[in-house]
Structures are given as structure tokens and as C-alpha cells.
Amino acid sequence: MYWTLELASYLEDAPWPASKDELIDFSIRSGAPLEVVENLQELEDDGQPYENIEEIWPDYPTKEDFFFNEDEY
């Protein structure tokens, strides 16, 4: 399983929180690449919903990861 920014971007509009099956269904209906569906199928399913993309890909970059000061603009 591997994630890239491009692949993870297909899950930004997912209906969080969501179960593994709901995320797979969402990615298929939204036309995400096959790699996204394959990555989701490899996730462990403990029956608990995923709250956000960071629970799937802990290294997902957030706004804090970018080095710019929004107050300056």
C-alpha cells in the first residue's frame, strides 16, 4: 500500500467519518483511480469508522506542514 498526495486527494471530500466499505464505495462512485481502491482494500477493518484521512495515511500533509504565514497575505 502506498499513498501519494494525488491519490489521497480523491478522499478529501469523503463523508468522514466513514467505514472501510463506505470509503471504497465513495472512491468507486467518485471515479478515483484503481490504486485508491486497492489501497483502501488493504486497510485493516476493525469495525470502527475512520475519522479523517490522517487515520489512513498518518503522514498526510496538513496546512501546518507548509511554511508560509497567512497573516502576511
Side-chain angles (χ1 to χ4, degrees):
M1 174 170 58
Y2 69 95
W3 288 101
T4 64
L5 284 175
E6 180 183 359
L7 293 178
S9 69
Y10 288 96
L11 296 177
E12 286 180 351
D13 294 330
W16 303 105
S19 69
K20 175 182 170 180
D21 291 336
E22 290 171 334
L23 290 172
I24 291 171
D25 182 57
F26 172 81
S27 63
I28 292 170
R29 286 186 293 111
S30 64
L34 183 59
E35 290 89 350
V36 174
V37 177
E38 290 172 348
N39 285 346
L40 292 171
Q41 288 173 339
E42 291 181 26
L43 291 175
E44 293 182 23
D45 190 9
D46 59 359
Q48 298 294 322
Y50 293 94
E51 297 295 325
N52 51 42
I53 187 69
E54 288 86 8
E55 287 189 18
I56 295 173
W57 184 29
D59 293 333
Y60 184 74
T62 61
K63 277 188 166 183
E64 291 81 35
D65 293 330
F66 298 101
F67 300 110
F68 64 91
N69 187 352
E70 291 181 349
D71 296 334
E72 291 180 7
Y73 300 101

